[in-house]
């Protein structure tokens, strides 16, 4: 069973939902979950906030604030996950922000990924993943796997 299918099953068993706020992956995480039959019972939707101005809008902050704290940071990832929950009413918000490459962003190399996770009305966290830089699409796919794995392991712990 694929990672996405395991996540859909775990969320369905708990009667919970998920939404995404994606920058680095531009909707790939939501699309990966949506590819699983029955995903409509758990997937609320998502935000693709590729441009900094769009992130700022959904996070209710300024571009200057995001640039100061870092668009590619744990803090921004946490705020993005919170926005996913708030904008969609999901139980879980997952976000992905990072550097797909080939160039550095904010002095960070390709493969630097922050995954944010938020539980509605509860805990929030941002996790750094340093993925192998094997090209843009490999980084993006590995980032999705990391995000889905993080949520699945968190659900299974509870």
């Amino acid at each position: 069973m694929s990672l996405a299918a395991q996540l859909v099953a775990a969320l369905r068993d708990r009667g919970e939902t998920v939404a995404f706020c994606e920058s680095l992956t531009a909707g790939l995480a939501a699309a990966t979950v949506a590819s699983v039959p029955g995903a409509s019972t758990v997937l609320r939707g998502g935000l693709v906030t590729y441009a900094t101005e769009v992130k700022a809008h959904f996070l209710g902050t300024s571009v200057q604030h995001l640039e100061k704290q870092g668009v590619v940071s744990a803090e921004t990832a946490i705020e993005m996950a919170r926005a996913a929950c708030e904008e969609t009413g999901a139980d879980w918000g997952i976000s992905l922000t990072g550097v797909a490459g080939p160039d550095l962003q904010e002095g960070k190399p390709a493969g630097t990924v922050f995954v944010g996770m938020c539980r509605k009305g509860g805990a929030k966290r941002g996790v750094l993943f340093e993925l192998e830089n094997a090209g843009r699409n490999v980084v993006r796919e590995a980032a999705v796997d990391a995000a889905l794995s993080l949520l699945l392991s968190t659900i299974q712990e509870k």
Side-chain angles (χ1 to χ4, degrees):
M1 183 184 296
S2 73
L3 184 57
Q6 291 175 58
L7 178 61
V8 168
L11 287 167
R12 187 177 49 239
D13 290 348
R14 294 170 58 98
E16 294 178 338
T17 58
V18 65
F20 296 90
C21 185
E22 302 180 61
S23 178
L24 163 77
T25 49
L28 185 60
T32 300
V33 171
S35 72
V36 176
S40 61
T41 62
V42 302
L43 180 60
R44 296 283 301 162
L47 309 166
V48 175
T49 59
Y50 210 71
T52 302
E53 297 81 16
V54 176
K55 267 185 217 62
H57 170 78
F58 282 106
L59 302 183
T61 191
S62 68
V63 169
Q64 294 77 16
H65 170 76
L66 283 179
E67 289 174 345
K68 183 177 179 183
Q69 84 178 10
V71 174
V72 179
S73 67
E75 295 82 9
T76 296
I78 290 167
E79 291 176 19
M80 290 170 64
R82 177 197 47 78
C85 279
E86 289 179 1
E87 294 290 331
T88 66
D91 297 301
W92 294 95
I94 298 294
S95 69
L96 297 104
T97 185
V99 186
D103 300 325
L104 296 174
Q105 182 177 347
E106 298 176 349
K108 297 173 179 83
T112 302
V113 174
F114 286 92
V115 174
M117 185 169 58
C118 173
R119 181 155 191 192
K120 184 194 257 181
K124 300 171 183 74
R125 68 191 257 209
V127 179
L128 169 64
F129 292 92
E130 294 178 4
L131 306 173
E132 181 181 346
N133 177 14
R136 289 181 60 79
N137 289 333
V138 172
V139 169
R140 293 173 67 238
E141 290 167 5
V144 169
D145 286 348
L148 299 184
S149 293
L150 178 64
L151 179 55
L152 183 60
S153 65
T154 300
I155 288 171
Q156 290 173 337
E157 288 171 6
K158 305 229 176 260

